[in-house]
Each structure stands twice: as C-alpha cells, then as structure tokens.
C-alpha cells in the first residue's frame, strides 16, 4: 500500500474544491451511500455521508482521510494480523454473550470495489480483545465472521475492546471478496490517547464513532481491490420513455421524466444504471 497515494476529500475538507476530481468522487460515494441507506435495515444515523473518519492529530491538523472508492484509486490499507488470529470462527453478526462486561458497540458500513460500487458476499472475519484487553485463544469469544448483503453492507454488534500494553484500542478484521485475495487490516477509534504512541496505528483506518444509548456507534467503509465496470462514461445515453439518461450530471432541483412520470432531483449526482428515479427515493421525488 502506497501511503502517498490519492485519497478522497471529505465534504468539510478545504481541499475539496468545486470541480475537482476528489470532490466529484466523494459526492458520488455520498449519493451511493444515501441510496443504499434508503433501503437498508441497519442504523443509518452515521450514514448520511461517507464514513471518511478524521480526528485531530497531536499537531492539531487533520490526518489523511480513509481512502474513498474511485476508478483506479487505492484500496483500504493493509495491516498486520497480529499473534491472536484464529481460523474457523462462527458465523454471526453479534459477538455479545450473556454477562459479558464492556461498553456496547455497533459497527456498520459498506464494502466497495474500485469503481465505487458495493460488493455483495464479502467475508468479514472480526476478532478483538475483551474489556480487560485479553484475547480468547482457546475458544471463539469475541470472534465471528459474516458476509455483506446484496447492498454490500455489514453490521457488527460487539463491545468496545480494552487496552493492553503497547497498543491503542482497535478491532481486527479480514475481508475477502469472492475469488479475490484476503485483505487483513485493523480499525481504530478517534481521540484515543494511545493513537499517538502506537507504532501500528494508521489514521486512515479511523472509524467515525459517536455515543448513543449507553453504548457507541461506529461506521467505516472498506474499499477492496476488486475490479469493477463503472458503467457508461459521461456521455448521456437516452432512456426509453423519458428524459432521464445514464451518464448525465444532475443537480438538486433538476426535473426529468421517466416511464411517463415526472421527477425532481433531491441530491446532485451522475446517473448510473440502477439509479432510475423510481428505484432510488434518496435521489428522486415524484413531482
């Protein structure tokens, strides 16, 4: 992983100037997440924009953003698996057990490929320390795997991991898209004092985290090195029965017709196959 590679700028990033490629790509991902969240059955409080986590560094400046998906951009950074990985974990989305101490934590997000399209059927294998900073090396406590759904989304219910000597707070995860290599990495929590002293810590792997209902909610989007066809280029292509067209850059307030009905654009985006007005209420409202 080339740490000097291009990364997308977040919506509040001063580097995301209007008309730049980075700003366009972040808008594309924001729109896609909004469209996916419109039909998702997972908490969407953190899904209003890209999960491009950022935190204040010791110098007071923001670190680089988690890589955003883009044609030809860099995937989520790899990290060491450490000494505590165990294969054959049980398939489950919740790692909680009766009487387990610790602060409840929910982690949600999406897995994208290189063209910023969601990837279904991705294996995610999570493991972590308990509230006291200890790993279960004999059984499968706080270990489990799951698969992304048809929208490329995942949801993990667990606890906030404890601290142990030499490391900041973190979650381990391995991801593998069907027929693709395994990505091993770690996820981190913002504003942790040990982030500044942990030699493995990578700010690009920070989750977006907030307090909620006596626990914590976190969000993170992975980008895997999965080749994808981004669809038609910027040249508009006509759509039968209306003015909506794949490849057209629409702005909020624009009006189109599709299959005999009129629609008003709710969010700026570039139209892609599958984003027809009746299919994505996050993008279009019937006029």
């Amino acid at each position: 992983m080339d740490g000097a590679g291009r990364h997308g700028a977040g919506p509040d990033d001063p580097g995301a100037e209007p008309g730049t490629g980075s700003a366009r790509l972040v808008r594309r991902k924001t729109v896609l997440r909004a469209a996916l969240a419109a039909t998702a059955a997972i908490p969407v409080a953190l899904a209003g924009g890209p999960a491009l986590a950022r935190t204040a560094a010791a110098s007071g400046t923001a670190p680089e953003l988690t890589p955003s998906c883009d044609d030809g951009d860099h995937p989520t950074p790899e990290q060491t698996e450490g000494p505590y990985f165990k294969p054959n974990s049980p398939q489950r989305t919740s790692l909680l057990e009766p009487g387990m101490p610790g602060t409840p934590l929910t982690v949600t997000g999406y897995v994208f490929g290189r063209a910023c399209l969601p990837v279904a059927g991705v294996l995610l294998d999570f493991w972590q320390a308990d509230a006291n900073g200890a790993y279960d090396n004999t059984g499968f406590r706080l270990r489990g795997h799951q698969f992304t759904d048809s929208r490329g989304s995942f949801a993990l219910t667990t606890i906030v991991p404890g601290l142990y000597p030499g490391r900041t707070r973190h979650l381990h995860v391995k991801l593998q898209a069907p027929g693709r290599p395994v990505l091993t990495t770690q996820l981190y929590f913002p504003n942790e004092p040990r982030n500044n002293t942990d030699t493995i810590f990578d700010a690009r792997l920070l989750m977006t985290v907030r307090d909620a209902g006596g626990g914590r909610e976190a969000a993170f989007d992975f980008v895997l090195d999965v080749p994808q066809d981004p669809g038609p280029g910027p040249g508009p292509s006509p759509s039968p029965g209306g003015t909506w067209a794949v490849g057209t850059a629409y702005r909020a307030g624009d009006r189109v017709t599709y299959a005999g009905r009129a629609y008003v654009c709710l969010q700026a985006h570039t139209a892609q196959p599958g984003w027809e007005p009746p299919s994505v209420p996050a993008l279009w409202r019937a006029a």
Side-chain angles (χ1 to χ4, degrees):
M1 170 64 195
D2 180 4
R6 293 184 298 111
H7 307 297
D12 58 348
D13 194 307
E17 300 176 0
T20 64
S22 293
R24 176 183 64 81
L25 294 168
V26 169
R27 285 199 301 271
R28 181 183 180 194
K29 186 177 180 183
T30 302
V31 168
L32 179 57
R33 294 187 96 256
L36 292 170
T39 57
I42 62 174
V44 296
L46 296 176
L52 301 180
R54 44 192 327 177
T55 187
S59 62
T61 60
E64 289 185 85
L65 299 171
T66 302
S68 65
C69 48
D70 170 26
D71 305 275
D73 205 354
H74 294 290
T76 299
E78 292 183 335
Q79 290 221 306
T80 177
E81 73 174 26
Y84 303 122
F85 172 71
K86 289 181 60 178
N88 303 317
S89 68
Q91 181 175 347
R92 55 188 178 184
T93 59
S94 176
L95 306 185
L96 298 179
E97 297 177 7
M100 177 179 286
T103 301
L105 171 68
T106 301
V107 183
T108 60
Y110 295 90
V111 179
F112 294 101
R114 295 294 283 268
C116 203
L117 300 175
V119 185
V122 175
L123 169 67
L124 298 97
D125 197 344
F126 293 95
W127 72 102
Q128 66 173 87
D130 64 17
N132 296 316
Y135 289 84
D136 178 7
N137 296 316
T138 58
F140 291 95
R141 194 165 186 247
L142 291 171
R143 299 173 183 269
H145 72 271
Q146 59 179 280
F147 297 87
T148 56
D149 64 14
S150 60
R151 295 178 299 268
S153 69
F154 69 92
L156 175 71
T157 304
T158 183
I159 61 169
V160 175
L163 295 168
Y164 58 92
R167 293 302 317 276
T168 190
R169 229 176 283 275
H170 62 280
L171 301 171
H172 292 272
V173 59
K174 287 179 178 285
L175 300 93
Q176 185 173 26
R180 301 297 298 175
V182 175
L183 169 68
T184 301
T185 192
Q186 302 181 33
L187 299 179
Y188 297 98
F189 295 77
N191 304 316
E192 286 286 334
R194 292 195 188 180
N195 287 352
N196 296 323
T197 58
D198 189 326
T199 58
I200 301 176
F201 170 77
D202 188 332
R204 295 169 298 175
L205 296 168
L206 281 163
M207 297 181 288
T208 300
V209 182
R210 73 170 191 171
D211 296 330
R216 306 187 82 183
E217 291 181 349
F220 190 87
D221 292 338
F222 296 95
V223 181
L224 296 183
D225 188 9
V226 174
Q228 295 175 318
D229 181 0
S237 58
S239 174
T243 59
W244 180 89
V246 169
T248 302
Y250 292 106
R251 298 170 298 180
D254 285 351
R255 291 175 174 266
V256 300
T257 58
Y258 185 87
R261 296 196 62 182
Y263 295 88
V264 178
C265 180
L266 301 178
Q267 297 190 56
H269 68 284
T270 298
Q272 298 190 48
W275 292 10
E276 295 82 2
S279 305
V280 280
L283 302 181
W284 295 100
R285 173 178 55 81

